[in-house]
């Protein structure tokens, strides 16, 4: 097998499998490309939530309850910001803020998001490549029955309650893949879609011009792990969004989303009955435990994925 495994990730589920892959693949064997459609500016600071979640998870710093933010973090700064009248619905912890302050400094020095991320992840002792999908501004906009709203306003401020009509990606048309993503698309020997939200984590990555075409014509094995288990999202609003978008919240509907982009869909044993209809779509169904309760599960799933991509 030539070239590294290219893993596409977003959100907490994506970070967990990325962590598992990073335990069993050497730094030169893995490139983790992360969604940046969730990025936003809070208190003048550039926050990249999905990149941060992968960084903290690989560095062993992530809050185990939420999956995002820093374990054991405090909120002194936010409390003072609230006293000064700032909006504080987006919970930025004190140690977490250091990352956003430093990233904003690096960007202010003219560094790209890729270079800033490389510096910051190296500072946390991470050897594996964590690569933003683009260094341009692509922002996920959730169009709901209560109007259009930026991703974090939908996801955090409104707790995913508004019914979704569509999801769009502002700036995608003018964006380009980051250098690391471009190189990985040229050199990777295999592609993995981590179990991330199809509309909020995977589609932003696919929205960058050329990415869908390059994945459709990718020569190596392409494996996706279903983010839906037993008709439910393991975490987050995916099942609710699928229903609101007029789709079934099933593995088969996940497979339909990936037609032409992946060769194997890994589904949980709870969904074994869906294997035949998934294979009827031309995608092989691989039935294995996919819910990651702890580190061992993440590694087991990563090992299964590695087998499927022939590493
Ligand atoms: N998610 C929440 O539900 N509430 C929050 O207050 C919150 C704060 C936050 C701060 C930093 C960060 O990196 C992530 C944060 N998240 C929060 C999660 C974030 O909205 C999601 O992880 C992604 O954007 C989608 O997976």
């Amino acid at each position: 097998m030539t070239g590294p495994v290219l893993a596409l990730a977003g959100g907490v589920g994506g970070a967990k499998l990325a962590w598992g892959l990073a335990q069993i693949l050497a730094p030169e064997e893995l490139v983790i490309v992360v969604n940046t459609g969730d990025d936003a500016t809070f208190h003048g600071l550039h926050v990249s939530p999905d990149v941060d979640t992968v960084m903290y998870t690989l560095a062993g710093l992530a809050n185990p309850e939420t999956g995002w933010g820093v374990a054991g973090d405090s909120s002194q700064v936010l409390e003072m910001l609230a006293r000064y009248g700032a909006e504080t619905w987006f919970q930025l912890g004190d140690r977490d803020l250091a990352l956003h302050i430093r990233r904003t400094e690096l960007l202010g020095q003219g560094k790209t998001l890729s270079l800033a991320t490389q510096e910051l992840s190296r500072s946390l002792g991470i050897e594996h490549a964590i690569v933003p999908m683009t260094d341009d501004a692509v922002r996920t906009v959730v169009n709901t029955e209560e109007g259009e709203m930026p991703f974090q306003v939908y996801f955090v401020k409104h707790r995913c309650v508004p019914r979704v009509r569509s999801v769009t990606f502002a700036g995608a048309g003018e964006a380009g893949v980051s250098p690391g993503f471009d190189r990985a698309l040229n050199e990777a020997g295999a592609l993995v879609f981590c179990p991330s939200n199809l509309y909020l984590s995977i589609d932003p990555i696919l929205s960058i011009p050329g990415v869908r075409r390059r994945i459709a014509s990718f020569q190596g094995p392409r494996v996706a792990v279903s983010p839906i288990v037993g008709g439910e999202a393991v975490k987050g609003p995916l099942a609710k969004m699928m229903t609101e978008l007029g789709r079934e919240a099933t593995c088969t509907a996940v497979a339909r989303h990936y037609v032409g982009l992946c060769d194997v869909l890994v589904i949980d044993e709870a969904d074994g009955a869906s294997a035949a209809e998934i294979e009827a779509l031309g995608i092989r169904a691989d039935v294995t435990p996919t819910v990651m309760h702890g580190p061992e599960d993440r590694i087991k799933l990563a090992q299964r994925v590695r087998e499927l991509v022939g590493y």
Side-chain angles (χ1 to χ4, degrees), residues 9 58 150-151 175 259 272 293 297:
L58 263 64
F151 175 83
V259 167
H293 299 290
D297 298 340

Side-chain angles (χ1 to χ4, degrees), residues 11 38 49-50 52-53 68 89-92 96 151-152 155-156:
D38 298 3
D50 280 359
D52 298 350
T53 299
W68 49 265
W89 50 266
F90 197 72
Q91 297 293 308
L92 290 160
D96 191 25
F151 175 83
Q152 297 299 351
F155 193 85
V156 179

